[in-house]
Amino acid sequence: MRVTKSFLSAFLAFALLFGLLSCDLSSLTSNDQGANGFTPTVYTEVVKELFETTYADQLSPNERAIYDAVTLLPAGTTSVDVTIPETPALCQGRNPSDEEMDKLKADISRFTANALYAAWLDFPTLFWLDHSKYSYNMEVAGDDDGVVKLTKLTLNLSLTASAGEIASQTEALARAVAGFTPLGTTVAEKVAYINTYLTSRIEYDLDAPNRSGVIGALVDGKCVCEGYARAFDYLCEKAGIDAVCIPGYGITEDKPEGEGHMWNAVALDGKRYGVDVTWNDTTWENAYLLVGADTVCHDTAFGTSHKPSMLTLEGPHKSFAFPAIEKLGYGINP
């Protein structure tokens, strides 16, 4: 006995839309829970208050399975089959109820949204993936004991450009960073070199076609804060430096309510410090380089002007923990 269900979940501000294509569970007629004492699946939940090494550290086993499948894909891939370890089981000896199917859809949507969000933050090379839009096909079947389970999950990905354009962009990115090695004998010197390397080559441009990623920053030389931060993360990664992207709000005198922004945290000697390449380039030259939360730039502490947040995203996301930076800047003793 086999049933195939296909669901579409399009996330624009992460609102869910599902469409049922087919359903046939006619061979399950009993309304009993089953003689074997069926128990619905209980998933492992992962909630961490502190950031560890990557955003992936905060994912549950099912979310991590989706994350791993997506982050290993060649650029421009449009679909992938995912095997999740904690397989959803809906019921036994009967048709799943509408409520049970709705819960399954909500579960898969939550797993996928969290996995793609973490991948979006951890991997600047996923410039080709629109993490906010996806669809998936699910196959649900009853086993020999009549337990109805999710048996197959195919994730269909949304691309930021055509497959041909993505191939060209991937090649251009490889050429742009070929042989890149930051100068300096210490990690701090290399971080400063990467910052200057980017600020000397990038023009802040709200209208740039690839403004939100490494292609805009490293290939086109035009991007916005997200492109700066992702390029910094990418070049640090290539140099073996532990850097992380942080999304949130930048608060200035002109924008006291804050506006969407992205910056970085860099690990040095087991501690993390703030770097904002965008503001180093566009506002105050190199003022935001290896700073602490209490570092005052332009009359405002970094921890006040930079507020980590999941921005205005709504939907099935968990609340991710963000990297905490030191109070004092690098090299400053209390």
Side-chain angles (χ1 to χ4, degrees), residues 265-285:
V266 181
L268 282 84
D269 302 329
K271 300 176 181 179
R272 292 191 183 274
Y273 301 90
V275 176
D276 189 335
V277 184
T278 307
W279 285 14
N280 285 340
D281 188 28
T282 61
T283 310
W284 300 285
E285 184 176 355

Side-chain angles (χ1 to χ4, degrees), residues 219-236:
V219 177
D220 302 337
K222 295 182 178 182
C223 65
V224 295
C225 60
E226 191 176 320
Y228 280 91
R230 293 189 182 284
F232 180 83
D233 184 10
Y234 180 50
L235 294 182
C236 282

Side-chain angles (χ1 to χ4, degrees), residues 30-48:
S30 172
N31 289 321
D32 297 332
Q33 287 295 317
N36 296 326
F38 167 76
T39 302
T41 304
V42 177
Y43 307 116
T44 301
E45 294 293 338
V46 177
V47 178
K48 296 186 177 181

Side-chain angles (χ1 to χ4, degrees), residues 39 56 101 138 142 169:
T39 302
M101 290 306 305
M138 300 192 307
Q169 290 172 342

Side-chain angles (χ1 to χ4, degrees), residues 113-130:
N114 286 331
L116 293 186
Y117 187 79
W120 173 66
L121 288 172
D122 283 341
F123 282 83
T125 49
L126 287 177
F127 65 87
W128 53 271
L129 174 66
D130 184 344

Side-chain angles (χ1 to χ4, degrees), residues 239-251:
I241 299 171
D242 181 2
V244 183
C245 290
I246 304 179
Y249 291 97
I251 299 172

